[in-house]
């Protein structure tokens, strides 16, 4: 997900069973990034972005290296979230380095993510702008719930639950969408989707991308 132009939640998060993705966030992101190699970003039109990815079944050194490369690629592109298919890998895994609306930094990895269906009382829509590293230079308003819960596995295969509010909730929904073959522009009206693609065509990407044939 493209980046848009504290108090400690750790005890609350642990009590409710959510993963602690706040403690040592900067150090963890830096460690992943320094072990990784940045890769170019795939863009809209590449077939890998338009189909559901395969489940992660092997939690091994190869997956760990992929995650490191994803963090490195995310930093190069100045993004706040990145799905594996955005660097051409057909696996259900995404990484994130995202601030919530209170300025708290969240850093983590989710394999095989599934979004919870929210109860009606939690479905408060936020219609902020959204962008995507795979649609470089384009932004559009897109209503999404301002709260999200994602269930999946960590890099070692352990079950995890991640919660997000505000901008971070948008990031969790955006990245999970990627792994099921959806770009944010697929959720726009035809008119707004056309406008987003026009924005992309008119602007040069600020990071390396994979040219579509």
């Amino acid at each position: 997900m493209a980046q848009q132009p504290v108090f400690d939640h750790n005890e609350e998060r642990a009590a409710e069973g959510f993963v602690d993705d706040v403690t040592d966030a900067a150090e963890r992101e830096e460690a992943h990034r320094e072990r990784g190699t940045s890769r170019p970003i795939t863009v809209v039109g590449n077939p890998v972005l338009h189909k559901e990815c395969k489940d992660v079944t092997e939690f091994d050194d190869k997956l760990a290296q992929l995650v490191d490369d994803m963090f490195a690629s995310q930093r190069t592109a100045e993004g706040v979230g990145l799905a594996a298919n955005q660097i051409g890998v057909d696996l259900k895994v995404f990484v994130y380095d995202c601030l919530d609306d209170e300025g708290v930094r969240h850093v983590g990895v989710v394999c095989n993510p599934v979004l919870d269906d929210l109860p009606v009382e939690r479905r408060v829509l936020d219609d902020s702008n959204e962008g995507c590293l795979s649609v470089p230079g384009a932004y559009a308003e897109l209503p999404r719930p301002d709260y999200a819960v994602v269930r999946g596995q960590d890099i070692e295969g352990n079950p995890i639950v991640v919660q997000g509010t505000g901008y971070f909730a948008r990031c969790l929904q955006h990245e999970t969408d990627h792994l099921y073959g959806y770009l944010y522009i697929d959720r726009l009206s035809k008119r707004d989707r056309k406008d987003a693609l026009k924005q992309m065509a008119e602007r040069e990407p600020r990071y390396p991308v994979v040219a579509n044939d």
Side-chain angles (χ1 to χ4, degrees), residues 52-86:
E52 181 175 345
C53 293
K54 297 174 182 175
D55 289 346
V56 176
T57 58
E58 297 184 12
F59 298 85
D60 53 12
D61 291 344
K62 187 176 180 179
L63 176 64
Q65 186 60 60
L66 171 62
V67 167
D68 291 341
D69 289 353
M70 290 172 68
F71 272 106
S73 304
Q74 176 177 254
R75 175 55 70 94
T76 297
E78 299 179 355
V80 297
L82 187 74
N85 54 357
Q86 291 185 274

Side-chain angles (χ1 to χ4, degrees), residues 99-179:
L99 300 179
D100 62 26
D101 285 358
E102 295 173 331
V104 177
R105 185 177 181 182
H106 300 261
V107 171
V109 183
V110 184
C111 301
N112 304 323
V114 176
L115 281 166
D116 275 9
D117 287 330
L118 295 178
V120 173
E121 62 271 16
R122 294 308 300 264
R123 293 177 188 169
V124 178
L125 293 182
D126 170 18
D127 60 358
S128 297
N129 266 2
E130 188 162 326
C132 179
L133 298 179
S134 292
V135 192
Y139 294 89
E141 290 185 358
L142 177 62
R144 288 193 191 267
D146 69 354
Y147 176 72
V149 174
V150 172
R151 300 178 188 275
Q153 293 166 282
D154 66 15
I155 198 171
E156 297 176 346
N158 302 307
I160 56 172
V161 186
V162 183
Q163 71 165 345
T165 58
Y167 186 51
F168 182 38
R170 181 174 293 274
C171 176
L172 294 175
Q173 294 168 83
H174 180 109
E175 301 307 331
T176 300
D177 268 359
H178 267 303
L179 301 177

Side-chain angles (χ1 to χ4, degrees), residues 177-192:
D177 268 359
H178 267 303
L179 301 177
Y180 289 87
Y182 294 99
L183 297 167
Y184 86 98
I185 59 173
D186 296 328
R187 297 191 178 276
L188 300 175
S189 68
K190 290 183 179 179
R191 179 178 178 179
D192 289 344

Side-chain angles (χ1 to χ4, degrees), residues 6-48:
V6 180
F7 67 89
D8 190 351
H9 295 270
N10 292 352
E11 291 184 5
E12 176 187 357
R13 187 176 294 108
E16 295 181 358
F18 297 111
V19 68
D20 175 11
D21 56 7
V22 172
T23 301
D24 298 327
E27 292 82 356
R28 289 185 289 107
E29 187 275 338
E30 182 179 15
H32 281 297
R33 175 167 42 88
E34 290 189 345
R35 292 191 299 263
T37 300
S38 182
R39 306 192 200 178
I41 304 297
T42 57
V43 296
V44 57
N46 189 309
V48 74

